[in-house]
């Protein structure tokens, strides 16, 4: 690739905070972004070259996007792989990661079956089409179980634990499994949740340092790297991540969510939870924490540049800034001056106009010296208030 005023342009389906941070990372490489999103003036619109307004699966929008860029990618699983395939064939614009990978990931049953067949360790699971199936699955797997809608869920949405057979029908209705069905998984009694950001390039793969994720109410609150586990467990997490990457097609970054569980023999094992075919919230810490951020890595991958080094600068902690309101309101964050006055604070504000309960509005990252600075990053977030 030669750099010039006409350097590559990447089209991104989705213009949320991930699209915004992709545009921020692409600019130093001389790469421009055009995003499509149904919400006018979406967060990425502030930093991307242009925004097209249209639904994630709208043919005309994606066709127009493909016609003015060199490569297509997506930052949300709601992108439609069939439409992406069609506009790619008609315009000659490649799509990364491949639409077939998106198809696999969008359906949690297909995702589980694909990785199970490849020998990737993951929780036991069963297909669920109705309440009777869920009751039978719970009897086989042991109650309680985790039920997940096969399609449409992300960031914890579409997942709910089910305590007993009496709750089966209500649980399926809650996750919205009426049309697409669901998957029941054994409820893993894990030691901690881990994540690895993996990347595929033209003829290479790379993984970032293992991250420990702290979640409440199925929403990621904090990320710590290195994870607070032993080196053998971290290496096993890398092995599982690499085996996941081997089963996926196309270039770019993948968020690989994992469970660490203690076996009966006292040894730790790693189980795959889910995969996101895009940059992931658990990798936001890499912006300040690593030589190459997950966002730069994704841009490098999709345009065909060599992948960057994933070395960590130092122990790093990151925390999400979530909406603390009881109902939607105009987004106005207070306490910014106080937060930035605290040592080594890096604040990322996503530019969303409306704050909603538990909506991701930004994040804070601090790079430490000897261990991930979890307490300091929590202190920063506590100084920030909406109102």
């Amino acid at each position: 690739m030669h750099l010039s005023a006409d350097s590559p342009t990447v089209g991104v389906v989705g213009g949320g905070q991930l699209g915004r941070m992709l545009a921020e990372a692409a600019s130093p490489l001389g790469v421009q972004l055009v995003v499509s999103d149904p919400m006018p003036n979406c967060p990425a619109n502030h930093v991307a070259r242009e925004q097209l307004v249209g639904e994630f699966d709208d043919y005309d929008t994606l066709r127009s996007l493909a016609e003015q860029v060199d490569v297509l990618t997506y930052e949300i699983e709601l992108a439609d792989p069939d439409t992406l395939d069609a506009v790619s064939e008609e315009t000659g614009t490649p799509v990364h990661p491949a639409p077939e990978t998106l198809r696999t990931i969008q359906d949690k049953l297909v995702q589980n079956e694909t990785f199970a067949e490849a020998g990737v360790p993951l929780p036991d699971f069963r297909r669920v089409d109705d309440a009777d199936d869920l009751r039978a699955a719970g009897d086989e797997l042991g109650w309680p179980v985790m039920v997940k809608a096969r399609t449409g869920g992300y960031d914890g949405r579409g997942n709910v634990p089910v305590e007993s057979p009496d709750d089966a029908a209500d649980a399926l209705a809650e996750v919205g499994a009426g049309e697409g069905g669901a998957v029941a998984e054994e409820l893993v009694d894990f030691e901690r949740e881990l994540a690895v950001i993996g990347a595929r390039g033209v003829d290479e793969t790379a993984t970032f340092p293992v991250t420990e994720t702290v979640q409440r109410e199925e929403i990621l609150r904090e990320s710590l790297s290195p994870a607070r586990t032993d080196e053998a467990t971290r290496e096993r997490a890398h092995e599982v991540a690499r085996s996941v990457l081997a089963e996926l097609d196309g270039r770019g970054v993948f968020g690989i969510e994992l469970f660490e569980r203690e076996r009966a023999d006292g040894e730790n094992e790693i189980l795959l939870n889910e995969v996101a075919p895009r940059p992931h919230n658990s990798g936001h810490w890499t912006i300040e924490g690593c030589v190459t951020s997950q966002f730069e890595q994704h841009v490098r991958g999709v345009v065909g540049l060599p992948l960057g080094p994933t070395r960590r600068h130092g122990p790093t902690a990151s925390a999400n800034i979530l909406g603390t309101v009881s109902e939607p309101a105009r987004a106005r964050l207070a306490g910014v001056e106080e937060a930035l006055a605290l040592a080594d604070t890096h604040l990322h504000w996503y530019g969303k106009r409306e704050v909603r309960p538990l909506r991701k509005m930004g994040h804070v990252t601090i790079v430490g010296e000897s261990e991930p600075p979890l307490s300091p990053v929590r202190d920063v977030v506590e100084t920030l208030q909406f109102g």
Side-chain angles (χ1 to χ4, degrees):
M1 183 184 95
H2 298 284
L3 289 179
S4 70
D6 300 315
S7 291
T9 301
V10 176
V12 183
V13 182
Q17 63 262 26
L18 299 180
R20 181 187 180 103
M21 288 183 274
L22 280 171
E24 292 168 345
S27 180
L29 296 174
V31 176
Q32 300 184 67
L33 256 66
V34 178
V35 302
S36 67
D37 195 277
M39 182 179 70
N41 201 29
C42 64
N45 183 51
H46 302 287
V47 290
R49 189 186 78 188
E50 183 182 351
Q51 177 191 352
L52 306 183
V53 178
E55 297 298 327
F56 301 122
D57 60 352
D58 180 69
Y59 170 84
D60 290 336
T61 301
L62 298 192
R63 172 67 186 256
S64 179
L65 183 65
E67 287 174 341
Q68 57 184 292
V69 301
D70 299 292
V71 60
L72 286 170
T73 188
Y74 42 88
E75 58 102 76
I76 189 167
E77 284 90 326
L78 298 180
D80 181 57
D82 293 337
T83 305
L84 287 170
D85 256 340
V87 300
S88 176
E89 182 176 352
E90 293 164 7
T91 64
T93 306
V95 181
H96 291 288
E100 188 58 35
T101 289
L102 183 57
R103 286 191 190 91
T104 298
I105 299 303
Q106 281 181 331
D107 188 324
K108 289 186 172 61
L109 177 62
V110 175
Q111 181 179 159
N112 282 4
E113 290 175 338
T114 298
F115 292 123
E117 184 177 347
V120 177
L122 68 165
D124 288 339
F125 64 93
R126 299 290 185 274
R127 173 176 177 157
V128 171
D129 292 323
D130 54 33
D132 287 339
D133 285 346
L134 179 52
R135 295 184 189 102
D139 290 341
E140 290 181 39
L141 299 173
W143 298 98
V145 296
M146 178 65 75
V147 64
K148 300 179 177 180
R150 285 180 58 176
T151 60
Y154 65 98
D155 279 351
R157 300 176 183 88
N159 300 348
V160 64
V162 188
E163 296 294 331
S164 73
D166 294 338
D167 302 324
D170 289 343
L172 291 176
E174 182 177 345
V175 300
E179 295 184 6
V183 177
E185 295 181 354
E186 64 169 312
L187 194 64
V188 178
D189 183 17
F190 55 82
E191 292 292 314
R192 58 184 53 84
E193 293 183 84
L194 304 175
V196 174
I197 300 298
R200 291 175 54 95
V202 174
D203 55 7
E204 59 180 329
T205 60
T207 55
F208 284 80
V210 180
T211 303
E212 178 179 347
T213 60
V214 180
Q215 311 205 34
R216 294 190 298 277
E217 298 173 294
E218 303 293 329
I219 297 176
L220 192 149
R221 307 302 176 110
E222 295 139 356
S223 301
L224 313 172
S225 187
R228 294 172 295 186
T229 189
D230 59 83
E231 184 57 37
T233 301
R234 289 195 288 265
E235 178 51 38
R236 178 57 183 150
H238 278 292
E239 291 174 1
V240 171
R242 288 190 287 267
S243 67
V244 168
L245 291 175
E247 299 305 313
L248 303 174
D249 293 324
R251 306 193 300 265
V253 155
F254 301 84
I256 302 168
E257 298 179 88
L258 307 164
F259 295 122
E260 175 189 343
R261 179 171 69 178
E262 184 177 354
R263 298 192 312 231
D265 62 5
E267 295 294 322
N268 290 337
E269 66 176 345
I270 297 295
L271 301 176
L272 176 65
N273 179 17
E274 293 181 3
V275 178
R278 53 170 173 80
H280 192 265
N281 196 173
S282 64
H284 290 357
W285 69 272
T286 62
I287 298 174
E288 286 81 27
C290 286
V291 175
T292 308
S293 76
Q294 66 162 342
F295 298 101
E296 179 182 339
Q297 197 79 299
H298 189 75
V299 173
R300 283 173 175 247
V302 300
V303 302
L305 290 170
L307 298 180
T310 58
R311 186 172 67 256
R312 187 175 50 229
H313 290 308
T316 306
S318 182
N320 282 326
I321 302 169
L322 302 176
T324 54
V325 297
S326 58
E327 58 185 29
R330 183 173 70 91
R332 184 174 182 273
L333 189 66
V336 173
E337 293 85 353
E338 293 84 352
L340 291 177
L342 298 174
D344 303 321
T345 297
H346 299 275
L347 172 65
H348 293 260
W349 177 245
Y350 301 152
K352 298 178 180 179
R353 295 181 177 273
E354 184 178 66
V355 58
R356 304 170 195 155
L358 298 180
R359 190 183 194 192
K360 294 173 183 173
M361 303 299 294
H363 72 269
V364 173
T365 302
I366 298 177
V367 180
E369 295 182 359
S370 59
E371 61 183 25
L374 179 56
S375 293
V377 85
R378 285 175 173 172
D379 290 342
V380 172
V381 170
E382 287 178 2
T383 68
L384 300 168
Q385 300 293 329
F386 289 95

